[in-house]
Amino acid sequence: MIEVRRNARVSAVAAGLTGLVAAAYFVRAAGQGGVVDWFVFALLLLLTLAHLYSLRDARTPLFVADDQGVRVRSGRTWRGMLWTELD
């Protein structure tokens, strides 16, 4: 059986780093309060949340090829074909 998954370590490291930089921009924005600082904080927070979602989603494979056939995940739905259906 062959499975293709997201790399959980990369997502964890990216979420940690963007989270730290977002926290630093939050402290900076709360202290001196520039509009650009709040914008960068919000952008980094969204990026951190995206990496955390990717980390949670890393447990489910994106592609599976086994004795039955081939399955590919797109979002939350799976699409598959049996080996007998493939040319």
Side-chain angles (χ1 to χ4, degrees):
M1 175 171 25
I2 298 173
E3 290 184 356
V4 176
R5 299 175 183 265
R6 286 188 171 96
N7 193 334
R9 282 187 220 138
V10 171
S11 295
V13 169
L17 290 176
T18 57
L20 284 173
V21 176
Y25 266 96
F26 175 75
V27 169
R28 179 179 171 159
Q32 298 170 359
V35 175
V36 174
D37 295 329
W38 285 108
F39 177 75
V40 172
F41 163 69
L43 185 66
L44 287 171
L45 182 63
L46 288 174
L47 190 59
T48 302
L49 293 174
H51 283 296
L52 287 174
Y53 175 78
S54 177
L55 178 63
R56 183 183 67 95
D57 194 48
R59 297 183 328 201
T60 307
L62 298 171
F63 173 84
V64 176
D66 58 10
D67 294 336
Q68 293 179 341
V70 178
R71 291 181 299 280
V72 177
R73 184 170 62 103
S74 176
R76 299 231 180 258
T77 61
W78 286 90
R79 296 191 179 160
M81 295 185 75
L82 297 173
W83 288 117
T84 57
E85 296 175 358
L86 297 174
D87 287 334

